[in-house]
Structures are given as structure tokens and as C-alpha cells.
Amino acid sequence: MGLGADRRQSPGREDRMVITGSRPIERRYQTCLAALSPRGQDHVLRWFPELNPAQQAQLLDDIESIPWDLVEPLLESHVRQVPPKVVPANLEPAPVWSRAPGSGQKRLYAEALELGRQMLKEGKVAVLTVAGGQGTRLGFDGPKGEVVVTPSGGLSLFGLFAAMLATARDRYDAPIPWYIMTSPENHERTEAYFQQQQYFGLPPEDICFFAQGMLPAFDFQGRLLLAQKHRLALAPDGHGGTLRALVENEALLDMHDRGIDIISYFQVDNPLVKPFDPLFIGLHAQAGSDMSTKVCAKADDHEKVGNVCLHDGEVVVIEYTDFPDEYATARTPDGRRKFDAGNLAIHLLDTWFVDRIVGQTFQLPFRRAEKAVPFVDEFGSLQMPTTPNAVKLETFIFDALPLADHALVLEVDRAEEFSPVKNATGVDSLEWAQRDQVRRACRWLEAAGVHIPRRPDGEPDCTVVIAPSFALDAEDVRERRSELPSVVEPGGQLYLS
Ligand code: UTP
């Protein structure tokens, strides 16, 4: 369903598995065996004789999907060994634009804001949500976008983004298309969810689902794992896989057909995201940036976020795990943190930039992720490890930043734009994301003159939810001042929609 329906490569492995008869199973088996044996990987065919024909075809399908030319060199460098951390010696802080104009920048910012609005009105902007991850830390049974995320009103993450989109489409009177990247694991369920929700009232032809690629997981000796006797253990290839998936599924072509210049990229887990930020869009366009990124000031030296830095004139992101202490703790002469730009995973990408880099012999660097991956052992029993037993290979979207001729970095207030749902409890949990939504809504109301009751620790003593249908930001709330109460009672609930 949706605008990609006629072009979309069918990602459902079950669909692709149908034995068409074009290649007899025996021949496929022999070809797979010939690929596996010299690589010491033919153990995955151990149960083949006892599988039924559909299962046999499915397993062969999985095996045939392995891009050996890509994966094989990584077995030594990333699977059997832990790749050494290579951090450039001469890192500098990335030049960061601030949300508010500095002295002498007022006109530039006003023009950027106007340009961003104009681009939205002219239908030059599309939104892209990446939702292909496995969400293992949250442990929700289903696509993360289905998690009900608002403290009241019952909006799921997808529902919340859909409501933002509906408001933006009205405001800019433009058919802003929504591209949603799934994985073959959650594609059908995601589409079914949208169907069941009747696309949240959005036109289905303006929503395009496309699936990213999968790569096999390997044990620490570099051997393929079976998830079932007839399935390889496969995992999505990381959010860096977005770029190739956009091209391979012809979603990028669809964007070109629609005259889209800018992709507003965000991750499915962040309910505070502002995907239609005219200032960000305008600054990006005005600067001729290929790829732009939002950052926030780090909470502490060792916060678990990527560090947005400059290396030889290129914007790079160094993961916190790789960021040496001398950088993390470095200070400027006036005592501030020198490397203070934390990656928020909110980007703008030019469609032509994506074309350009994917068209080249393009490969984002692979990262090694150690995970606990269930597997069928040599006796045919399913093992459910609780500690990492396998390596997944992933690429990250932010590794495209150094490929940009120009990359703009905009600093925003984390409390306004970022509170991801990653974990079941504690930091970055659903509870935290709901708390942050209420905090933000209360700030917006206070800025509009509404009295918010607060507890001694400063936390709001009320539950306020502002649905995107009511306002997308503090300015919208101010404009609707006449519809607001002057006071929220202690312990009160307010749902503005
Ligand atoms: P995370 O790195 O938080 O991974 O993804 P995750 O899979 O959601 O969760 P864990 O690590 O298993 O707990 C950040 C964003 O990137 C998307 C996710 O859906 C999320 O929006 N993503 C991640 C993909 O779309 N594909 C991937 O292969 C990985």
C-alpha cells in the first residue's frame, strides 16, 4: 500500500520464497553448497533433508541473499577480531550554528526561516522515519512505532508522527510524503498496523513503506547461525542501510518524481522530534549543505551519545565508545567542554546527495555489534543465550556526514527535541519520554502565560499533553492563547487537541 506499492521490492521473505520452478531446488541447493563449503559454512544445510519443500526454498533463499563479497573480508576484521579503534589524532569541535541568531545573524536567520517555510509549501520536503531496528532493549512485541507513547490521548509513536504530518500538511498546504523504512522482519506488521489505523487519516498514496537489507549474524568464530532449522539468523544492516535501501526500493526515484529536494530523517523512537523545522530546513538550503545534523550540548563528558566533530574539514561523528578520554574531558580556555556536540540522530539529507554517494562505489564503514542471538545448536535444539554470542554487522547513517561537501550542524535544546524510547526502564525509557513530553508541554503553556502547578522539586504537578493537532511548538501555543485556561490545577489533567 502507499506510493511505493507498484515499485516496492517485495521485502516479505515468505513472498520471495515461493518456489517458482524457474530453478529446481536441487540446482539451487548445489549452488548454495558450492558457495558455503569452501567457506566452512555448510553446517547450515545440516537439516536440509528433513525440511519440507517450502522450508528448503526458504533456507536457500536466505543463503542466496548473503553478499559474500561484502561480508567475507569482514569475517576476519570485524567478527573473529575486534577491529581496533581508530580515532583521528587531530579532531576539532565541529562548527555549530545555534538555534537563536547571534549578533549580525538576525536577517540571515529570518531569511532561512522564510526559505524553509517556502520549501515546505512548495512540497520540496519529505519525511523519512527509520523503523527497521529490532528494539531489543525495549523488548516490545512488535514494531516500536506501535508503542503508545503519549501520557494521555493514546497516540502511538507512528500515530504521533502521523498527527504532526497532518498538521504540517494543512499548514503548508502541501502533500508532504512520508517514507517509512522497515526491515523484512517487521515490514508486513508495520503495513498491517497502518492499514488497521486507516493510515491515521493520511492519504495512503503519500505513505511509502520500504524495507532495508539484512545481513547474517555470525558466532565469534565467524560461522553462520541458524535461527531455525530452515532460517539463517539475519539482522537488519543498521540505519546506514537507509541510503542503499532508498535507492534499491526506488523510494529515492519516487522522491525525485515528486520534486523532493530534502529528506527530513528521524528515528522512530523519538516522540519529541520536530520533523518540520523551517529554520533547520532553511539554514540547510541556504548553506548549500548536503547533509545537516542536529546536536545538543552533552549532559556530561562521557554521555552515551556520538560526538560530532571536525576532522580535516569534514564533519564526523565519533561514538562515545571510541571517544578518547583526552577529548571527552578537554576544556576550552574559558572552562567549557571543548567537544560538546552530541548527536541527536536527526538529519536533513539532500536527495541529490543520496544519489551521488550511493551511485559511487559506496560503502559506509561497518561496525561490529555483539548481541545475544538465539540459535539452533548442532543437536537441533534452540538455544537462547542471555549474553552476547554473536556479531551483527551494521552501518550508521551519520557516517555519511564526512561524504558531504558541506555539512551544517545546528545546536538545539535537547529538552525540546529529543527523548528516545530505548529501554524498558530507567534512562531513555517510555516513562522518561512521557515525563519529557509533559515537561515540554508545561513549558510551552507557561511561555503562553498559563500558570502550571509545580512540586517542590520543580516538576509539574499535573499531566499536560499537547497533541500535534493543537500545536507543533511553543509559538503555536502562544498563538492559541485565547483557547487556553489561565491555570492548571494541582494534580490536574489537560489534553489539548
Ligand atoms: P537503535 O540503535 O536504537 O536500535 O536504532 P534498535 O534496533 O531500535 O534498538 P535495540 O538496539 O535493538 O534496542 C535507532 C533507530 O534506527 C532504526 C531503529 O528502528 C531506530 O529508529 N534502525 C536501527 C533501523 O531502522 N535499522 C537498523 O538496522 C537499526
Side-chain angles (χ1 to χ4, degrees), residues 130-137 144 181 212 236 238-239 267-268 422:
V130 290
Q134 295 179 305
T136 39
R137 283 170 288 172
K144 210 189 254 188
M181 186 173 82
Q212 68 179 111
H239 42 68
Q267 304 190 332
V268 74
K422 300 275 187 201

Side-chain angles (χ1 to χ4, degrees), residues 423-445:
N423 302 313
T425 54
V427 182
D428 293 342
S429 60
L430 180 59
E431 190 189 336
W432 280 45
Q434 293 189 334
R435 177 203 66 188
D436 290 343
Q437 289 171 71
V438 172
R439 282 179 175 172
R440 186 177 76 170
C442 288
R443 280 197 307 275
W444 289 1
L445 288 184

